[in-house]
Amino acid sequence: MATPSSHSSKAGTKGVPRQHRRLQMLEAATEEFGTHGYAAASLPAIAARVGVTKTLLHQYFGTKEDLYVACLVPVGDRLLDTVRAAMGEGGAAPNTPLRVLHSIFTALEGQREAWFVLYDATLPPGGVAERRASEYWAAIDRLAAGGTAELLRSAGSTDPLDADALKYVWRDLVATLVRWWVKHPEQTPEAMTRRCARLFAVAATLTPDGRSG
Protein backbone atom coordinates (compact mmCIF):
# COMPACT_ATOMS: atom_id res chain seq x y z
CA MET A 1 0.00 0.00 0.00
CA ALA A 2 1.00 3.61 -0.31
CA THR A 3 2.99 5.53 2.23
CA PRO A 4 1.17 8.30 4.13
CA SER A 5 1.02 11.65 2.34
CA SER A 6 2.63 14.72 3.81
CA HIS A 7 -0.64 16.66 3.87
CA SER A 8 -2.25 14.58 6.64
CA SER A 9 -3.49 16.88 9.37
CA LYS A 10 -6.45 17.75 11.49
CA ALA A 11 -7.90 20.43 9.28
CA GLY A 12 -10.62 21.47 11.70
CA THR A 13 -14.13 22.22 10.53
CA LYS A 14 -15.56 24.96 12.73
CA GLY A 15 -17.18 27.50 10.45
CA VAL A 16 -16.20 25.51 7.34
CA PRO A 17 -18.84 25.45 4.58
CA ARG A 18 -20.51 22.07 4.21
CA GLN A 19 -19.21 21.39 0.70
CA HIS A 20 -15.64 22.24 1.68
CA ARG A 21 -15.92 20.07 4.78
CA ARG A 22 -17.15 17.21 2.62
CA LEU A 23 -14.13 17.58 0.34
CA GLN A 24 -11.84 17.54 3.37
CA MET A 25 -13.42 14.28 4.50
CA LEU A 26 -13.08 12.73 1.05
CA GLU A 27 -9.43 13.72 0.83
CA ALA A 28 -8.72 12.24 4.25
CA ALA A 29 -10.66 9.08 3.43
CA THR A 30 -8.89 8.64 0.10
CA GLU A 31 -5.57 8.88 1.90
CA GLU A 32 -6.65 6.41 4.58
CA PHE A 33 -8.10 3.85 2.14
CA GLY A 34 -5.14 4.22 -0.20
CA THR A 35 -2.57 3.90 2.56
CA HIS A 36 -4.08 1.03 4.55
CA GLY A 37 -6.56 -0.65 2.21
CA TYR A 38 -10.29 -0.95 2.70
CA ALA A 39 -10.13 -3.76 5.25
CA ALA A 40 -7.69 -2.00 7.58
CA ALA A 41 -8.91 1.56 7.05
CA SER A 42 -10.28 3.18 10.19
CA LEU A 43 -13.23 5.56 10.25
CA PRO A 44 -12.05 7.12 13.53
CA ALA A 45 -8.66 7.73 11.90
CA ILE A 46 -10.34 9.41 8.94
CA ALA A 47 -12.41 11.60 11.25
CA ALA A 48 -9.30 12.49 13.25
CA ARG A 49 -7.45 13.57 10.11
CA VAL A 50 -10.14 16.18 9.49
CA GLY A 51 -10.84 17.05 13.10
CA VAL A 52 -14.45 15.82 13.18
CA THR A 53 -16.28 13.04 14.96
CA LYS A 54 -16.95 9.60 13.54
CA THR A 55 -20.66 10.36 13.97
CA LEU A 56 -20.40 13.38 11.69
CA LEU A 57 -18.53 11.29 9.13
CA HIS A 58 -21.43 8.82 9.14
CA GLN A 59 -23.92 11.67 8.80
CA TYR A 60 -22.16 12.87 5.66
CA PHE A 61 -21.45 9.54 3.96
CA GLY A 62 -23.24 6.67 5.69
CA THR A 63 -21.37 3.39 6.03
CA LYS A 64 -17.69 2.67 5.52
CA GLU A 65 -18.54 1.11 2.15
CA ASP A 66 -20.55 4.19 1.15
CA LEU A 67 -17.57 6.38 2.02
CA TYR A 68 -15.22 4.18 0.01
CA VAL A 69 -17.49 4.42 -3.04
CA ALA A 70 -17.61 8.20 -2.64
CA CYS A 71 -13.79 8.18 -2.82
CA LEU A 72 -13.64 5.62 -5.61
CA VAL A 73 -15.88 7.34 -8.15
CA PRO A 74 -13.82 10.53 -8.66
CA VAL A 75 -10.59 8.50 -8.70
CA GLY A 76 -11.96 5.97 -11.18
CA ASP A 77 -13.49 8.65 -13.40
CA ARG A 78 -10.28 10.66 -13.40
CA LEU A 79 -8.05 7.73 -14.34
CA LEU A 80 -10.45 6.34 -16.92
CA ASP A 81 -10.87 9.73 -18.59
CA THR A 82 -7.15 10.46 -18.65
CA VAL A 83 -6.24 7.08 -20.15
CA ARG A 84 -8.99 7.39 -22.76
CA ALA A 85 -7.82 10.90 -23.71
CA ALA A 86 -4.16 9.87 -23.92
CA MET A 87 -4.94 6.90 -26.15
CA GLY A 88 -7.23 8.94 -28.38
CA GLU A 89 -4.49 11.37 -29.31
CA GLY A 90 -2.34 8.95 -31.26
CA GLY A 91 -3.98 5.56 -31.70
CA ALA A 92 -1.28 2.97 -32.21
CA ALA A 93 1.58 5.47 -32.40
CA PRO A 94 4.82 4.14 -30.85
CA ASN A 95 4.79 6.86 -28.17
CA THR A 96 1.24 6.05 -27.00
CA PRO A 97 2.37 3.88 -24.03
CA LEU A 98 4.56 6.71 -22.71
CA ARG A 99 1.76 9.22 -23.20
CA VAL A 100 -0.63 6.99 -21.28
CA LEU A 101 1.86 6.55 -18.44
CA HIS A 102 2.49 10.29 -18.28
CA SER A 103 -1.25 10.94 -18.11
CA ILE A 104 -1.62 8.47 -15.23
CA PHE A 105 1.29 9.97 -13.28
CA THR A 106 -0.10 13.47 -13.85
CA ALA A 107 -3.62 12.47 -12.78
CA LEU A 108 -2.28 10.95 -9.55
CA GLU A 109 0.21 13.66 -8.64
CA GLY A 110 -0.66 15.19 -5.28
CA GLN A 111 -2.70 12.14 -4.28
CA ARG A 112 -0.66 9.14 -5.39
CA GLU A 113 -2.29 6.79 -2.89
CA ALA A 114 -5.52 7.16 -4.88
CA TRP A 115 -4.22 4.41 -7.19
CA PHE A 116 -4.63 1.93 -4.32
CA VAL A 117 -8.20 3.07 -3.72
CA LEU A 118 -9.07 1.91 -7.22
CA TYR A 119 -6.97 -1.26 -7.11
CA ASP A 120 -7.75 -2.55 -3.62
CA ALA A 121 -7.54 -6.30 -3.11
CA THR A 122 -9.20 -6.11 0.33
CA LEU A 123 -12.68 -5.04 -0.82
CA PRO A 124 -15.52 -7.21 0.54
CA PRO A 125 -16.36 -9.78 -2.16
CA GLY A 126 -19.74 -9.34 -3.77
CA GLY A 127 -20.38 -5.96 -2.18
CA VAL A 128 -21.23 -2.64 -3.77
CA ALA A 129 -17.63 -1.45 -3.39
CA GLU A 130 -16.18 -4.40 -5.29
CA ARG A 131 -18.83 -4.16 -8.00
CA ARG A 132 -18.18 -0.47 -8.58
CA ALA A 133 -14.41 -0.96 -8.58
CA SER A 134 -14.69 -3.91 -10.97
CA GLU A 135 -16.60 -1.71 -13.42
CA TYR A 136 -13.62 0.65 -13.56
CA TRP A 137 -11.17 -2.26 -13.80
CA ALA A 138 -13.09 -3.69 -16.74
CA ALA A 139 -13.32 -0.33 -18.53
CA ILE A 140 -9.59 0.33 -18.15
CA ASP A 141 -8.82 -3.24 -19.22
CA ARG A 142 -10.86 -2.74 -22.38
CA LEU A 143 -8.83 0.34 -23.22
CA ALA A 144 -5.62 -1.56 -22.53
CA ALA A 145 -6.75 -4.47 -24.69
CA GLY A 146 -7.60 -2.19 -27.59
CA GLY A 147 -4.39 -0.21 -27.32
CA THR A 148 -2.07 -3.18 -27.05
CA ALA A 149 -3.82 -4.96 -29.94
CA GLU A 150 -3.38 -1.86 -32.11
CA LEU A 151 0.31 -1.66 -31.26
CA LEU A 152 0.79 -5.31 -32.15
CA ARG A 153 -1.05 -4.90 -35.45
CA SER A 154 1.13 -1.92 -36.32
CA ALA A 155 4.15 -4.16 -35.63
CA GLY A 156 2.78 -6.88 -37.91
CA SER A 157 1.31 -9.26 -35.32
CA THR A 158 -2.31 -10.34 -35.50
CA ASP A 159 -2.05 -13.27 -33.09
CA PRO A 160 -4.89 -12.86 -30.54
CA LEU A 161 -2.82 -14.66 -27.90
CA ASP A 162 -0.03 -12.11 -28.36
CA ALA A 163 -2.59 -9.37 -27.74
CA ASP A 164 -3.99 -11.11 -24.67
CA ALA A 165 -0.53 -11.70 -23.21
CA LEU A 166 0.57 -8.12 -23.84
CA LYS A 167 -2.56 -6.79 -22.15
CA TYR A 168 -1.63 -8.64 -18.96
CA VAL A 169 2.01 -7.53 -19.20
CA TRP A 170 0.95 -3.92 -19.68
CA ARG A 171 -1.51 -3.98 -16.79
CA ASP A 172 1.06 -5.41 -14.38
CA LEU A 173 3.76 -3.06 -15.68
CA VAL A 174 1.66 0.03 -15.01
CA ALA A 175 0.79 -1.17 -11.50
CA THR A 176 4.45 -1.92 -10.74
CA LEU A 177 5.63 1.45 -12.00
CA VAL A 178 3.01 3.29 -9.92
CA ARG A 179 3.97 1.33 -6.80
CA TRP A 180 7.63 2.22 -7.37
CA TRP A 181 6.72 5.86 -7.94
CA VAL A 182 4.75 6.03 -4.69
CA LYS A 183 7.90 4.94 -2.84
CA HIS A 184 9.91 7.72 -4.52
CA PRO A 185 7.93 10.91 -3.85
CA GLU A 186 10.73 13.08 -5.23
CA GLN A 187 10.03 11.75 -8.74
CA THR A 188 7.79 14.10 -10.75
CA PRO A 189 5.44 12.81 -13.47
CA GLU A 190 7.83 14.19 -16.07
CA ALA A 191 10.83 12.48 -14.46
CA MET A 192 8.92 9.20 -14.28
CA THR A 193 7.96 9.45 -17.94
CA ARG A 194 11.59 10.00 -18.93
CA ARG A 195 12.61 7.07 -16.75
CA CYS A 196 10.02 4.85 -18.42
CA ALA A 197 11.32 5.91 -21.85
CA ARG A 198 14.82 4.82 -20.83
CA LEU A 199 13.52 1.52 -19.49
CA PHE A 200 11.56 0.86 -22.68
CA ALA A 201 14.66 1.62 -24.75
CA VAL A 202 16.65 -0.93 -22.74
CA ALA A 203 13.84 -3.50 -23.04
CA ALA A 204 13.95 -3.11 -26.82
CA THR A 205 17.55 -4.32 -26.83
CA LEU A 206 16.69 -7.60 -25.09
CA THR A 207 15.56 -9.30 -28.32
CA PRO A 208 17.80 -10.15 -31.29
CA ASP A 209 18.60 -7.02 -33.33
CA GLY A 210 16.34 -5.02 -30.99
CA ARG A 211 13.23 -6.41 -32.73
CA SER A 212 10.21 -8.12 -31.22
CA GLY A 213 9.45 -11.71 -32.08
Side-chain angles (χ1 to χ4, degrees), residues 2-212:
T3 54
S5 300
S6 59
H7 53 70
S8 297
S9 65
K10 291 186 178 181
T13 61
K14 186 176 181 180
V16 176
R18 180 180 178 83
Q19 186 59 27
H20 185 60
R21 179 182 295 172
R22 185 178 187 277
L23 290 175
Q24 288 179 336
M25 293 177 181
L26 283 175
E27 181 180 0
T30 298
E31 184 176 340
E32 177 74 9
F33 286 128
T35 301
H36 300 291
Y38 180 90
S42 163
L43 292 185
I46 294 170
R49 288 175 187 269
V50 187
V52 300
T53 64
K54 180 181 173 182
T55 299
L56 187 62
L57 195 62
H58 280 300
Q59 288 174 357
Y60 270 71
F61 294 101
T63 67
K64 180 180 181 179
E65 191 168 28
D66 292 334
L67 177 57
Y68 165 83
V69 172
C71 295
L72 168 69
V73 169
V75 171
D77 286 348
R78 185 164 75 246
L79 286 171
L80 184 58
D81 289 346
T82 196
V83 170
R84 184 180 289 119
M87 290 182 62
E89 292 174 5
N95 64 338
T96 298
L98 284 176
R99 191 168 56 244
V100 169
L101 284 169
H102 182 261
S103 74
I104 291 172
F105 297 140
T106 301
L108 292 171
E109 182 66 340
Q111 199 179 45
R112 299 183 187 188
E113 66 276 3
W115 175 267
F116 302 101
V117 174
L118 177 57
Y119 291 99
D120 189 337
T122 72
L123 297 177
V128 174
E130 186 189 48
R131 288 198 298 272
R132 291 300 301 273
S134 66
E135 291 171 1
Y136 286 110
W137 303 339
I140 292 173
D141 270 1
R142 285 193 294 271
L143 290 174
T148 51
E150 284 186 26
L151 285 174
L152 283 169
R153 282 194 293 269
S154 69
S157 172
T158 57
D159 188 332
L161 290 180
D162 280 358
D164 189 56
L166 185 56
K167 181 190 74 172
Y168 280 90
V169 170
W170 172 252
R171 182 172 61 188
D172 290 347
L173 175 65
V174 173
T176 298
L177 288 169
V178 171
R179 284 196 297 269
W180 187 90
W181 183 49
V182 167
K183 294 178 181 178
H184 295 80
E186 78 285 355
Q187 296 291 305
T188 65
E190 291 72 25
M192 275 300 297
T193 305
R194 292 192 296 270
R195 188 176 304 281
C196 290
R198 294 194 295 273
L199 295 177
F200 289 176
V202 171
T205 69
L206 300 181
T207 55
D209 301 322
R211 296 194 299 266
S212 61

